């Protein structure tokens, strides 16, 4: 699917989020990467094979002063 040089990482690669954004629908909260991965604003992902990755939000650590 990717026609960029160098090629974007495949959907199976650990760094698949680094692929270029080819469509973005902020009003609906999702975007399509050139490797076929659909990303959501909550950081969840839908993979081309139908698999899904849950949202992976950063955790906040509380520091006591």
């Amino acid at each position: 699917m990717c026609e960029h040089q160098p090629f974007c990482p495949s959907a199976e690669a650990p760094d698949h989020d680094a692929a270029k954004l080819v469509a973005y629908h902020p009003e609906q909260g999702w975007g399509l990467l050139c490797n076929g991965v659909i990303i959501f604003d909550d950081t969840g992902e839908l993979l081309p094979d139908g698999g899904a990755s849950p949202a992976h939000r950063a955790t906040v650590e509380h520091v006591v002063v």
Side-chain angles (χ1 to χ4, degrees):
M1 184 181 254
C2 179
E3 297 178 6
H4 304 105
Q5 291 295 330
F7 291 120
C8 291
S10 71
E12 295 80 29
D15 62 342
H16 61 260
D17 291 347
K20 292 189 183 264
L21 191 62
V22 294
Y24 184 52
H25 297 275
E27 71 283 357
Q28 296 176 352
W30 65 274
L32 174 65
L33 301 178
C34 70
N35 58 8
V37 174
I38 298 172
I39 56 171
F40 296 97
D41 286 350
D42 70 353
T43 70
E45 300 170 341
L46 184 59
L47 305 175
D49 65 1
S53 295
H56 46 275
R57 297 182 188 135
T59 58
V60 176
E61 293 184 30
H62 297 281
V63 178
V64 177
V65 180

